[in-house]
């Protein structure tokens, strides 16, 4: 249920309500503190998935937010475009990136002293009503949908964050997690700035509110402020910042989280709704899948390290912040006397490879290639690396469907559906009885018996995390008459935690760390089990790259091989 914020702060009743017009009240003052059980990550996850069954949700990785922003062009007719509605539709399209809570902040542009905003918990469609959308006036705004990592699930962490700076209100939407948040937090506190949450998004907000080291002679220099932040923290973040009549789009120097720019098009009635070339404004989005639903087209991705400015007159690139060079101890083969930064190579970019594997919507485009095609290539590569004598290829609907199709194409076997998914499963009880726990997967999936009786089935999935779902699914298929069930995973085993904003269970909870392949195969009850190799995954991803983002196309594979893009200091 939505717990939308309206009216004004009622401190006496300690309610989770906030003003819908931001006029300098510290928004972190609202809400009650989360109970201890709210901080339990497992409970977090279950609640975050809304109507998705706990057991199934728990077996997947979770993305940690979608950001979206829109600014109308100077001559765009305000009566034909509702900025709040565009942002709302954008957030609905990015819902897969975070289902815990969402918010929209709009502004009437230059010289404004207040924002309009509305935030709530739950799915985007359950938070915003027509009435709230109507109240979110303005020609510019940003939005955010969230799944919590740093900062936990306290409602006060709902974004966008807002603060009053010396130069007026500033709002920020953040996807990612700062790898050096602890050190940065100390820096901010040392400068006498108080922090109200554990959220690194608040940290970013406060860092940006500080005057940059060289000062500002002619008003706020947001380019310099953002650069200062980026030099202090190399990864992981994609940001949308709203100030006056501009939105600043920022992607960290490693390009770990995605961000792209689009053009909002007028819909020409004469051509039956087809897009005409006239620009109504500019969009910033975590993924390009949101563009179609708001009538926009992809211009390009924001480059790793780039700061872009979107305003009523268009888009411009303000700066490109380089990746920091590694310390000498990590630059292999260099003798001490050559310890000069200019002699060391900057590391490659580190775009999260799991965006391709699982997080992104299949119709999104990264590096000039559609995610769907990459997943299909992963399936093909998997069939080359781990062929199996079988009758049909299938999948656990739906995220691994393209990989299963690629697998089927490569080995020349038919792709046949064997599972029917119930989309309307409610949440399980927090402490289900044994019988309900046993039925958790059967509640979610039904077997298409006639498609699998007496057949040898290859079931392709995109990942195994805790290994809680795959075993019951195999049992379901066997009970329905499958002769053999072979599991093929279109990504390598997940062995390490992620510190860049993806909620991965602890090392101990990752099933691939607990059981060698043979043991795991018999534990889940499969006839055989194989994963895609890391080299195979990188090959499948790199093959179709059509647009290089800046200087290199590198990928983060840290959860697979433990090689983090930067040195971890703890
Ligand atoms: S560690 Fe894994 S999930 Fe995290 S950013 Fe790297 S590839 Fe993505």
């Amino acid at each position: 249920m939505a717990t939308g914020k309206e009216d004004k702060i009622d401190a006496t009743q300690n309610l989770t309500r906030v003003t819908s017009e931001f006029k300098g009240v510290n928004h972190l003052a609202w809400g009650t503190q989360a109970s201890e059980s709210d901080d339990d990550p497992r409970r977090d996850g279950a609640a975050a998935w809304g109507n998705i069954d706990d057991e199934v949700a728990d077996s997947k990785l979770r993305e940690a937010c979608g950001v979206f922003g829109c600014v109308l062009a100077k001559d765009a007719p305000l009566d034909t475009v509702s900025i709040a509605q565009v942002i709302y539709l954008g957030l609905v399209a990015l819902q897969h990136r975070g289902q815990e809570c969402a918010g929209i902040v709009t502004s009437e542009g230059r010289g404004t002293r207040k924002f309009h905003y509305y935030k709530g918990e739950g799915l985007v469609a359950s938070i915003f009503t027509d009435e709230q959308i109507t109240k979110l006036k303005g020609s510019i705004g940003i939005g955010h949908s969230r799944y919590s990592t740093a900062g936990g699930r306290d409602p006060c962490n709902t974004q966008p964050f807002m603060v009053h700076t010396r130069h007026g209100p500033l709002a920020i939407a953040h996807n990612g997690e700062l790898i050096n948040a602890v050190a940065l937090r100390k820096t901010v506190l040392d400068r006498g700035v108080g922090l109200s949450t554990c959220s690194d998004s608040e940290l970013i907000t406060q860092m940006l509110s500080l005057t940059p080291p060289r000062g500002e002679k002619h008003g706020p220099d947001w380019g310099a402020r953002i650069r200062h932040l980026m030099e202090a923290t190399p990864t992981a973040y994609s940001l949308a910042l709203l100030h006056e009549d501009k939105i600043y789009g920022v992607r960290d120097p490693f390009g770990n989280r995605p961000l792209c720019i689009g053009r909002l098009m007028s819909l020409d009635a004469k051509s039956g709704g087809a897009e005409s070339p006239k620009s109504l404004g500019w969009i910033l989005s975590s993924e390009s899948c949101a563009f179609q639903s708001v009538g926009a087209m992809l211009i390009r991705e924001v480059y790793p390290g780039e700061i872009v400015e979107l305003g009523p007159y268009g888009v411009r690139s303000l700066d490109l912040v380089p990746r920091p060079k590694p310390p000498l101890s990590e630059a292999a083969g260099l003798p001490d006397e050559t310890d000069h930064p200019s002699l060391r190579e900057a590391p490659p970019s580190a775009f999260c490879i799991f965006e391709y594997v699982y997080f992104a919507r299949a119709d999104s485009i990264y590096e000039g290639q559609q995610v769907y095609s990459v997943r299909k290539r992963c399936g093909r590569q998997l069939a080359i690396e781990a062929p199996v004598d079988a009758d049909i290829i299938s999948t656990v609907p739906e995220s691994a469907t393209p990989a299963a199709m690629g697998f089927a194409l490569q080995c020349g076997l038919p792709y046949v559906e064997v599972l029917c998914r119930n989309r309307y499963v409610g949440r399980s009880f927090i402490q289900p009885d044994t019988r309900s726990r046993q039925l958790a997967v059967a509640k979610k999936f039904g077997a298409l018996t006639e498609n699998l009786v007496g057949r040898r089935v290859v079931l392709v999935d995109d990942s195994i995390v805790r290994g809680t779902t795959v075993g019951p699914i195999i049992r379901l298929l066997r009970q329905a008459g499958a002769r053999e069930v072979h599991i093929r995973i279109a990504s390598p085993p997940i062995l390490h935690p992620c510190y860049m904003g993806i909620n991965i269970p602890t090392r101990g909870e990752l099933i691939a760390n607990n059981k060698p392949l043979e043991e795991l195969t018999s534990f889940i009850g499969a006839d055989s089990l194989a994963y895609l190799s890391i080299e195979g995954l990188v090959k499948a991803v790199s093959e179709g790259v059509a647009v290089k983002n800046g200087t290199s196309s590198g990928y983060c594979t840290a959860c697979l091989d433990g090689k983090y893009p930067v040195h971890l200091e703890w």
Side-chain angles (χ1 to χ4, degrees):
M1 196 180 81
T3 53
K5 321 302 181 211
E6 51 191 42
D7 306 330
K8 58 191 176 188
I9 290 176
D10 184 346
T12 55
Q13 294 180 41
N14 201 21
L15 296 175
T16 313
R17 291 192 290 162
V18 286
T19 171
S20 62
E21 282 190 352
F22 177 70
K23 297 173 183 167
V25 180
N26 183 350
H27 73 291
L28 300 167
W30 45 265
T32 52
Q33 289 296 309
S35 68
E36 272 181 31
S37 60
D38 282 343
D39 288 335
D40 178 80
R42 202 188 132 74
R43 191 158 176 269
D44 261 350
W49 280 74
N51 66 345
I52 298 176
D53 179 76
D54 301 358
E55 298 288 327
V56 176
D58 207 29
S59 68
K60 296 290 179 187
L61 303 184
R62 291 179 199 123
E63 178 53 79
C65 308
V67 303
F68 192 88
C70 179
V71 53
L72 294 185
K74 183 74 189 143
D75 53 357
L78 277 177
D79 53 338
T80 56
V81 191
S82 153
I83 198 82
Q85 205 158 68
V86 170
I87 298 168
Y88 168 83
L89 290 173
L91 292 182
V92 170
L94 296 176
Q95 185 77 83
H96 57 286
R97 300 186 72 86
Q99 295 111 35
E100 226 170 69
C101 49
I104 294 177
V105 175
T106 62
S107 165
E108 281 159 272
R110 208 168 177 75
T112 188
R113 303 306 299 169
K114 67 182 185 193
F115 286 145
H116 308 283
Y117 75 99
Y118 195 81
K119 304 180 189 186
E121 290 180 281
L123 300 179
V124 176
S126 69
I127 297 170
F128 296 94
T129 62
D130 284 353
E131 193 193 345
Q132 286 133 15
I133 293 289
T134 313
K135 282 184 187 166
L136 294 170
K137 298 186 192 314
S139 55
I140 186 167
I142 61 174
H144 188 269
S145 65
R146 177 169 195 263
Y147 177 73
S148 58
T149 48
R153 229 191 132 219
D154 195 312
C156 72
N157 292 322
T158 305
Q159 296 190 42
F161 268 82
M162 291 168 284
V163 285
H164 261 267
T165 71
R166 214 180 125 218
H167 306 286
L170 171 73
I172 291 179
H174 168 216
N175 170 211
E177 189 173 350
L178 302 186
I179 207 152
N180 61 342
V182 175
L184 216 55
R185 200 173 168 81
K186 189 169 177 305
T187 310
V188 170
L189 293 172
D190 283 351
R191 288 190 68 171
V193 177
L195 293 168
S196 314
T197 70
C198 300
S199 161
D200 50 1
S201 309
E202 188 200 4
L203 205 51
I204 291 173
T205 315
Q206 296 296 2
M207 285 284 290
L208 288 167
S209 303
L210 298 173
T211 307
R214 285 196 208 115
E216 292 167 328
K217 291 194 186 103
H218 313 288
D221 181 347
W222 288 104
R225 283 174 183 237
I226 297 166
R227 188 181 178 104
H228 176 52
L229 167 80
M230 293 170 84
E231 285 168 349
T233 184
T235 196
Y237 48 90
S238 277
L239 307 172
L241 273 64
L242 168 61
H243 182 257
E244 296 226 317
D245 59 349
K246 307 266 171 34
I247 293 173
Y248 299 91
V250 183
R251 200 165 166 207
D252 78 53
F254 285 88
N256 185 266
R257 313 309 318 157
L259 193 64
C260 57
I261 310 163
R263 185 191 300 271
L264 190 68
M265 311 298 292
S266 67
L267 301 178
D268 184 35
K270 282 182 209 147
S271 58
E275 287 169 3
S276 78
K278 186 167 167 50
S279 298
L280 284 182
W282 292 270
I283 306 265
L284 199 62
S285 174
S286 291
E287 286 181 44
S288 60
C289 65
F291 292 154
Q292 276 186 30
S293 47
V294 302
M297 57 181 281
L298 173 66
I299 299 177
R300 69 167 170 87
E301 283 176 79
V302 177
Y303 300 139
E306 191 179 23
I307 306 167
V308 293
E309 180 191 271
L310 283 66
Y313 297 100
V315 179
R316 65 185 182 125
S317 180
L318 291 187
D319 207 345
L320 204 57
V321 178
R323 286 182 281 286
K325 294 182 178 181
L328 182 65
S329 56
E330 291 176 41
L334 289 176
D336 284 355
E337 58 270 23
T338 61
D339 183 16
H340 190 280
S342 64
L343 296 176
R344 296 196 299 270
E345 291 270 309
S349 57
F351 180 47
C352 170
I353 206 155
F354 261 85
E355 287 286 343
Y356 280 118
V357 172
Y358 176 67
F359 299 138
R361 228 172 74 172
D363 55 338
S364 283
I365 292 172
Y366 294 141
E367 302 176 296
Q369 57 180 341
Q370 197 147 44
V371 169
Y372 182 92
S373 308
V374 176
R375 290 181 185 163
K376 212 163 157 186
R377 281 202 301 277
C378 287
R380 274 185 175 273
Q381 181 65 27
L382 182 59
I384 293 169
E385 293 182 10
V388 57
D389 206 7
D391 301 312
I392 56 170
I393 311 299
S394 196
T395 186
V396 184
E398 300 158 339
S399 56
T401 304
M405 287 182 155
F407 196 103
L409 271 175
Q410 184 64 36
C411 61
L413 288 172
Y415 170 80
V416 178
E417 289 183 20
V418 296
L419 289 167
C420 181
R421 181 175 177 166
N422 179 356
R423 290 163 207 284
Y424 305 101
V425 180
R427 282 194 50 204
S428 295
F429 297 106
I430 288 170
Q431 291 175 313
D433 57 46
T434 314
R435 187 175 153 77
S436 344
R437 206 176 293 128
Q438 284 164 345
L439 289 173
V441 164
K443 195 175 68 174
K444 179 80 184 168
F445 298 107
L448 295 167
T449 317
E450 289 178 10
N451 286 353
L452 54 80
V453 168
R455 287 173 146 174
R456 296 169 299 167
V457 182
V458 177
L459 201 68
V460 179
D461 205 353
D462 45 35
S463 55
I464 296 185
V465 182
R466 286 186 164 98
T468 49
T469 318
V470 65
I473 286 177
I474 293 170
R475 274 200 298 282
L476 190 72
L477 296 181
R478 286 200 196 282
Q479 281 161 6
R483 183 146 62 97
E484 291 174 15
V485 183
H486 301 269
I487 302 295
R488 292 294 178 271
I489 304 298
S491 66
I494 299 167
L495 301 168
H496 306 273
C498 174
Y499 301 105
M500 277 77 71
I502 304 304
N503 205 324
I504 291 184
T506 60
R507 274 193 179 87
E509 290 171 312
L510 291 166
I511 193 83
N513 277 326
N514 291 333
K515 297 188 191 305
L517 192 69
E518 234 170 76
E519 202 184 311
L520 181 54
T521 310
S522 84
F523 175 75
I524 61 174
D527 288 286
S528 74
L529 164 68
Y531 292 89
L532 181 62
S533 66
I534 297 181
E535 301 71 35
L537 172 60
V538 173
K539 179 173 178 275
V541 167
S542 314
E543 249 172 37
V545 171
V547 180
K548 289 229 179 206
N549 279 328
T551 49
S552 70
S553 280
Y555 302 100
C556 174
T557 52
C559 51
L560 311 173
D561 58 13
K563 294 177 186 159
Y564 292 90
V566 293
H567 180 64
L568 303 175
E569 285 171 11
W570 63 84

